[in-house]
Amino acid sequence: MNPSATEEDFLWDSFPDGFQWGAATSAYQVEGAWNTDGKGESMWDRFSHTSGRIENGDSGDTACDSYHKYPEDIAILKKLGVHFYRFSLSWPRILPRGTLELVNEPGIDYYNRLIDGLLADGIQPMVTIFHWDLPQALEDEGGWLNPQTIDHFRSFARLCFERFGDRVKTWLTVNEPYIFAVIGYGYGLFAPGVRQPLTAPYQVGHNLIKGHAEAWHVYDKEFRQLQNGRISLGMVNHWFEPYSNKTQDIEAAGRATEFMLGWFAHPVFVNGDYPQVMKERIRVKSEAEGLKESRLPVFTEEEKKRIKGTQDFFALNHYTTFLVENHEYTATDKQSELYDQDTRNHADPAWPTSGREIFRDVPWGIRKSLVWIKDRYNNPEIVITENGVSDDNEHRGSLDDQQRIRYLRGYTNNVLKAIKMDGCRVSAYTVWSLMDNFEWSDGFSSTFGLHRVDFSDPNLPRIPKASAEFYRKLVENNGFSKELRRKTTKL
């Protein structure tokens, strides 16, 4: 099977009956109200308030003001016709100090109103427990570099299950641990701004995996039987295509996938431990540096048993594809996260660009990713929890976002191909994002929304782009039916 060989052959067909469609945001990116009603400071509050960290000096202090305008969010979700809304819980809004010593009831009330409002309009909540906004009080104690944060996360997760689990039936423990660890602790471009690329990302990733497993076991042991929900870890993967047909480039592409996706999926879906290629390469590099032990932490046998199998489905975020070649880094290249992998990423100049230069529109990449997951992890049920694109320079600020329509049409059709032609068990698709929002270090300059938010207007109106109508029809038709093809040549 070679998806790239058939990328131009559009598949006119419907998604399976019962396929679920959704839209996503996260707390810090949309809620605003950063110090309202007892909310504590988060690491992203501190980071964005530090000069030079965010483009244009932006912050999430107000963002889309979803804390107050959530009824408008529910209204536009209802117009889209989606089955579910993926959002996250702000840890410091619920636990201002990060621990159970102070529970902020107004914060819990907010999420109850949001959840109840969604359900009243027939929209299911899909809730992420940790989407990067750690309470600053815990960050001051070392954050995710401190193993004690695992215990705090377990307690926070239990409280979330207690307060919301009677109505929330789909949970994600952690969103994109790879991005959180590498960009936040390796490059220092995201909160908390740590630049220790050879050590900190691995330590943080290690604790995140253990934190995820603890939250999963709390749900499995204490809540599953009564609440009858599901819970998994939210992972991210770019597709890595070999730069050439040389053996070393093919192997490099495989390493890149294992270092990004396998880092977190292999412990959960295979054996409770890291991929062998990660362990071996980091060990060899560590020895060459004169270290007595590997920079990659080691799970105990008991920890491996506790981590293995802590999943109810495979949650995948996917955005783009890279061409990957083998590249042997020297000791002077240690500031790159690719140093341990010995890989170098490229983009085909023919691939359409987006608002982020490195994020190219390569629709067949999502199909290849889905097939790789199917083959590598014994064909699990896959929920696509994020997929989307930022407006390019031509379309930024425009409501006629044909670039996004092209992207969504191509990517969702390749998801359909993965289901119909490759046997992948994809059960849901989530578009990122419901609306333009605070896009981390890009601030408000990068726009991923189906709806434009006018941040210069104090009312922050949500204005549908052309892609919102495209997505509404896609959801309504559950795909690209043959009957629809007869009616129109373009959805």
Side-chain angles (χ1 to χ4, degrees):
M1 190 280 298
N2 183 3
S4 59
T6 60
E7 61 182 292
E8 299 298 329
D9 299 328
F10 197 83
L11 177 60
W12 290 94
D13 204 345
S14 299
F15 283 79
D17 291 343
F19 191 85
Q20 299 288 293
W21 299 92
T25 63
S26 83
Y28 186 75
Q29 293 178 274
V30 301
E31 284 181 3
W34 78 277
N35 61 353
T36 299
D37 291 342
K39 177 186 171 293
E41 184 185 21
S42 77
M43 64 192 300
W44 268 96
D45 292 322
R46 179 71 60 87
F47 189 77
S48 66
H49 293 162
T50 303
S51 178
R53 292 296 197 178
I54 311 297
E55 190 165 339
N56 300 318
D58 294 336
S59 77
D61 288 3
T62 302
C64 305
D65 198 23
S66 288
Y67 185 75
H68 298 105
K69 299 175 74 67
Y70 70 91
E72 295 180 34
D73 300 343
I74 296 173
I76 60 176
L77 286 161
K78 186 177 182 180
K79 288 181 181 179
L80 289 175
V82 294
H83 304 108
F84 65 90
Y85 177 41
R86 182 186 165 215
F87 63 93
S88 72
L89 304 173
S90 168
W91 189 339
R93 193 176 298 285
I94 294 173
L95 299 177
R97 299 172 188 165
T99 68
L100 296 177
E101 66 175 305
L102 176 61
V103 178
N104 184 40
E105 292 297 336
I108 289 176
D109 291 343
Y110 163 67
Y111 291 114
N112 277 327
R113 292 193 301 271
L114 173 58
I115 292 167
D116 291 344
L118 289 167
L119 292 172
D121 276 331
I123 303 167
Q124 291 294 317
M126 177 187 288
V127 175
T128 306
I129 301 172
F130 179 67
H131 199 129
W132 305 353
D133 48 349
L134 187 74
Q136 183 62 38
L138 296 185
E139 180 58 31
D140 291 341
E141 297 175 1
W144 281 103
L145 286 167
N146 184 347
Q148 289 185 343
T149 301
I150 298 169
D151 298 326
H152 296 314
F153 182 64
R154 181 200 300 115
S155 297
F156 175 51
R158 178 182 285 112
L159 179 65
C160 295
F161 302 146
E162 289 173 347
R163 295 301 192 96
F164 311 122
D166 58 326
R167 289 151 293 156
V168 175
K169 302 306 174 186
T170 305
W171 296 92
L172 298 179
T173 53
V174 178
N175 177 74
E176 295 184 354
Y178 174 90
I179 299 297
F180 180 76
V182 171
I183 309 301
Y185 292 83
Y187 289 117
L189 298 177
F190 284 5
V194 175
R195 296 182 180 179
Q196 298 174 5
L198 296 188
T199 54
Y202 297 133
Q203 295 164 7
V204 168
H206 199 71
N207 289 332
L208 286 168
I209 291 169
K210 292 198 286 187
H212 152 76
E214 289 305 308
W216 189 93
H217 281 289
V218 166
Y219 190 82
D220 190 56
K221 181 179 180 180
E222 302 176 25
F223 297 94
R224 185 188 299 275
Q225 185 174 3
L226 179 63
Q227 297 181 354
N228 197 30
R230 306 194 303 166
I231 181 169
S232 278
L233 174 66
M235 291 168 284
V236 63
N237 188 54
H238 308 316
W239 177 248
F240 297 104
E241 184 77 3
Y243 186 75
S244 75
N245 59 6
K246 296 178 182 178
T247 299
Q248 56 265 44
D249 287 346
I250 295 172
E251 292 176 349
R255 285 199 305 276
T257 302
E258 292 288 8
F259 266 78
M260 185 175 198
L261 183 60
W263 179 356
F264 299 94
H266 198 275
V268 171
F269 281 83
V270 180
N271 65 355
D273 201 3
Y274 297 114
Q276 189 61 34
V277 68
M278 276 191 76
K279 295 196 295 182
E280 185 63 22
R281 294 189 73 84
I282 297 171
R283 179 187 63 79
V284 169
K285 294 261 187 175
S286 299
E287 289 179 355
E289 295 158 15
L291 300 176
K292 295 182 179 179
E293 57 185 25
S294 175
R295 288 182 276 101
L296 182 67
V298 176
F299 292 119
T300 67
E301 291 304 314
E302 188 60 34
E303 287 171 341
K304 292 177 188 177
K305 293 177 182 177
R306 192 155 179 82
I307 293 165
K308 178 183 177 182
T310 53
Q311 53 82 20
D312 295 323
F313 54 91
F314 199 109
L316 175 69
N317 295 358
H318 175 87
Y319 287 90
T320 195
T321 289
F322 291 96
L323 298 175
V324 181
E325 68 171 332
N326 184 69
H327 179 80
E328 295 184 5
Y329 289 90
T330 66
T332 59
D333 301 311
K334 289 182 181 180
Q335 296 308 304
S336 170
E337 110 250 19
L338 304 179
Y339 166 76
D340 285 328
Q341 309 179 31
D342 282 332
T343 63
R344 177 182 285 168
N345 296 338
H346 302 273
D348 187 328
W351 294 343
T353 59
S354 69
R356 286 183 174 176
E357 178 62 26
I358 64 170
F359 277 17
R360 301 297 183 103
D361 183 348
V362 192
W364 48 263
I366 195 170
R367 182 180 176 191
K368 286 196 170 186
S369 289
L370 294 169
V371 172
W372 193 91
I373 291 166
K374 168 181 173 282
D375 294 342
R376 188 74 175 87
Y377 302 118
N378 195 29
N379 198 15
E381 177 191 348
I382 302 173
V383 174
I384 297 171
T385 41
E386 286 182 25
N387 177 241
V389 68
S390 58
D391 293 300
D392 61 17
N393 291 333
E394 178 185 350
H395 295 89
R396 186 177 294 118
S398 171
L399 297 179
D400 188 23
D401 56 342
Q402 293 299 317
Q403 168 223 1
R404 178 169 292 103
I405 291 175
R406 180 193 67 214
Y407 178 100
L408 294 177
R409 188 173 188 265
Y411 275 73
T412 54
N413 198 251
N414 272 273
V415 173
L416 182 61
K417 289 178 182 178
I419 295 170
K420 296 287 187 173
M421 301 168 68
D422 307 320
C424 296
R425 298 198 303 123
V426 185
S427 63
Y429 174 90
T430 316
V431 65
W432 184 273
S433 174
L434 175 64
M435 56 193 163
D436 296 341
N437 55 54
F438 179 86
E439 190 54 41
W440 308 115
S441 58
D442 288 345
F444 299 110
S445 67
S446 188
T447 50
F448 280 78
L450 297 180
H451 296 80
R452 181 186 173 212
V453 177
D454 186 351
F455 294 104
S456 66
D457 185 334
N459 292 320
L460 299 167
R462 285 85 160 118
I463 308 166
K465 303 177 187 178
S467 59
E469 177 62 11
F470 166 84
Y471 194 61
R472 185 194 69 77
K473 289 182 177 178
L474 181 63
V475 173
E476 180 181 61
N477 291 294
N478 198 32
F480 312 91
S481 68
K482 295 182 176 70
E483 180 181 355
L484 185 65
R485 182 183 188 183
R486 289 192 291 270
K487 294 179 179 178
T488 178
T489 58
K490 185 176 180 182
L491 190 62

